[in-house]
Structures are given as C-alpha cells and as structure tokens.
Amino acid sequence: NAGVTQTPKFQVLKTGQSMTLQCAQDMNHNSMYWYRQDPGMGLRLIYYSASEGTTDKGEVPNGYNVSRLNKREFSLRLESAAPSQTSVYFCASLTGGKGNTIYFGEGSWLTVV
Amino acid sequence: DQQVKQNSPSLSVQEGRISILNCDYTNSMFDYFLWYKKYPAEGPTFLISISSIKDKNEDGRFTVFLNKSAKHLSLHIVPSQPGDSAVYFCAAGGQGAQKLVFGQGTRLTINP
C-alpha cells in the first residue's frame, strides 16, 4: 500500500533548466495537490486538481505548470527554474467527503543554483 | 494575508509534561480543522481533526480544542514523549472543500 509516491526525491537544477516532478496515488482519490514548504512559510498550495481533467491555481502558481494525466497521476513542471524555486515539494491527495484528510508524499528536495 | 497562523515557531517541553500548540485563524468560513505532524525528511502525516460542531476531540494522548468565538484552536499532548519531537502544522478548510490552508508550523522539542 504505497499511498502517495513522488519522484525524484532530490534534484539539483541550474537556473533556466526545466524539470517535471511526478506524483502518483493508489488510493483512488479524486483530488490531488502540489505544495511547497519553505522555512517560516508553512505549506503553500501551488496547484490542485479537484478531479481528472481539471486543474486550478493555488496560492503560489507562478513559474509552475501541472498536468493531471489520469486519476492516479498529477505532475508539476518547472519550465525555467529560478533560485526562488529552491524548496521542498509535497504532492498530496484528498479523501473527500465528510472528514476530509489530505495524505502527503514523502517530499522532493529541489535546489536551483 | 495569512488565514491560519501559528505564532510560536518553536516550543520546548520536558518529557512527561503537557505540550500545548496553538493556532489562530481569520476566515469564519472555515469549519474543519486538522493537525499534521512532520518529521525531518518525511511528508506531513495526519494527526487529529475537529469539526466546528464540536469544541473538543480526543485521540489517545492528543486532544484538539476549538474556540470558535476566538477563532482559535489548540493541540494538547499529554504526556509528552521524545517521539513527539517534530514540526506540527495546523490546517483549516470547509467540509467538502477542496483546499486546506496551513499554518507556518511549530517545532516541538521534547527534552528528556
């Protein structure tokens, strides 16, 4: 029972490079999320997908794109990485219904130099 | 404009004593609140939640209190154990809502 799986775990990028963070969940959840965690800022929502085929901006969407490939997978793309995007990225999915609970992946540490 | 605030970045408590973590919110539309625990190099894990129809929810050593009039919630851990040392995030949202808003986190250290 893997839950939420995200890859890669660690990545170093040069400014201007592009990359995609992959996320998959095996809990049959409709909603999926990408958060970033920065010191003193908590968890900030980048993008979310309420269901397959839909995506919406969160609090800090600039510089990112997402793709909800199917119900299981939700990817986050940095088209032209900037040092300000150095962060820890968490993918998550939501149980939905009464008692919403978000389940998180283990995180992806991204450094942009 | 931070809708969910944890004003204490860190808290240090002696093992066996009570740990109290606090969280304030501004959006009166929030009616569902959660606490998450995060160890280094791991994703946050769900700890306990409370709906606005309650003012207290208990799960073992963990109790969450909600004061709707003050827009304040707190997490009590008693007795505190070394394994409780982690960063704790509070989060708020609406029942059936698609988004949760998280606080900045409080780093709890339990001293032996």
Side-chain angles (χ1 to χ4, degrees), chain B residues 38-56:
Chain B
K38 185 184 178 305
Y39 291 120
E42 295 183 10
T45 54
F46 171 72
L47 195 56
I48 192 169
S49 64
I50 187 167
S51 163
S52 61
I53 62 173
K54 293 184 172 183
D55 53 19
K56 176 183 174 181

Side-chain angles (χ1 to χ4, degrees), chain A residues 9 31 33 35 37 40-43 45 48-50 57-58 90 94 97-107 109, chain B residues 1-2 32 34 36 38-46 49 87 89 94-105:
Chain A
K9 185 119 178 148
S31 301
Y33 305 81
Y35 285 88
Q37 185 196 2
M41 303 295 286
L43 292 156
L45 182 64
Y48 69 104
S49 169
K57 294 179 180 179
F90 291 99
L94 182 74
K98 275 191 177 181
N100 284 343
T101 302
I102 281 187
Y103 290 90
F104 286 88
E106 293 192 341
W109 275 253
Chain B
D1 178 26
Q2 198 117 28
Y32 186 64
L34 308 90
Y36 280 80
K38 185 184 178 305
Y39 291 120
E42 295 183 10
T45 54
F46 171 72
S49 64
V87 176
F89 292 98
Q95 288 280 5
Q98 294 300 320
K99 293 190 287 184
L100 292 178
V101 181
F102 285 82
Q104 307 96 307

